Amino acid sequence: MKKECIANCKLEETGFNYTMSLIQGKYKMFILYTLMEFEIVRFNEMQKYIGSITYKTLSSTLKQLEADGLVNRKEYSQIPPKVEYSLTEKGKSLIPILDNMCEWGSIHKEK
């Protein structure tokens, strides 16, 4: 396979750049991992599980992931309000990548 010359290429036109635009951010991968592991998660459960994330940050990050089509938000009309989050099909397509990251971390973390 012949490699292209770097002078003729632009990172912003790559699939890698698109993927990174969806998942980069301090907590996006934590949220995606949480939804991968537990499938359907309520807001407060996720906040407790992640631990270091604020209400505002979790809320805005979930909105970004929802806008990008990776996370589904289901709201129930009841009192108190109930909202559940899960991965969309597009979000689920990231599971093999997340699994590989988990496996890599398990192998390479200091014991």
Side-chain angles (χ1 to χ4, degrees):
M1 173 190 274
K2 184 179 175 186
K3 289 195 176 205
E4 292 186 54
C5 176
I6 194 168
N8 300 327
C9 298
K10 293 185 179 178
L11 182 62
E12 68 259 9
E13 295 172 358
T14 64
F16 176 79
N17 184 65
Y18 175 71
T19 303
M20 290 304 296
S21 74
L22 296 179
I23 64 172
Q24 74 184 33
K26 186 170 181 180
Y27 291 102
K28 285 184 176 181
M29 292 297 286
F30 291 101
I31 292 168
L32 293 170
Y33 173 80
T34 302
L35 294 173
M36 177 189 80
E37 285 295 308
F38 300 102
E39 296 182 11
I40 297 173
V41 182
R42 294 180 66 179
F43 186 92
N44 289 336
E45 294 171 333
M46 190 176 311
Q47 189 177 21
K48 288 176 188 172
Y49 181 72
I50 295 172
S52 59
I53 193 167
T54 65
Y55 178 93
K56 181 179 177 181
T57 301
L58 179 56
S59 179
S60 67
T61 306
L62 282 165
K63 286 178 186 172
Q64 291 169 13
L65 290 167
E66 185 181 7
D68 289 334
L70 299 175
V71 170
N72 183 47
R73 179 181 191 270
K74 184 172 183 181
E75 189 173 338
Y76 298 89
S77 56
Q78 64 183 50
I79 298 176
K82 178 182 174 182
V83 179
E84 294 178 337
Y85 295 90
S86 60
L87 292 175
T88 62
E89 288 304 313
K90 184 177 178 180
K92 288 177 185 176
S93 69
L94 287 169
I95 288 177
I97 296 166
L98 294 170
D99 280 338
N100 284 335
M101 291 175 68
C102 292
E103 184 178 328
W104 187 92
S106 295
I107 292 169
H108 295 286
K109 73 178 177 180
E110 293 184 31
K111 296 178 181 183

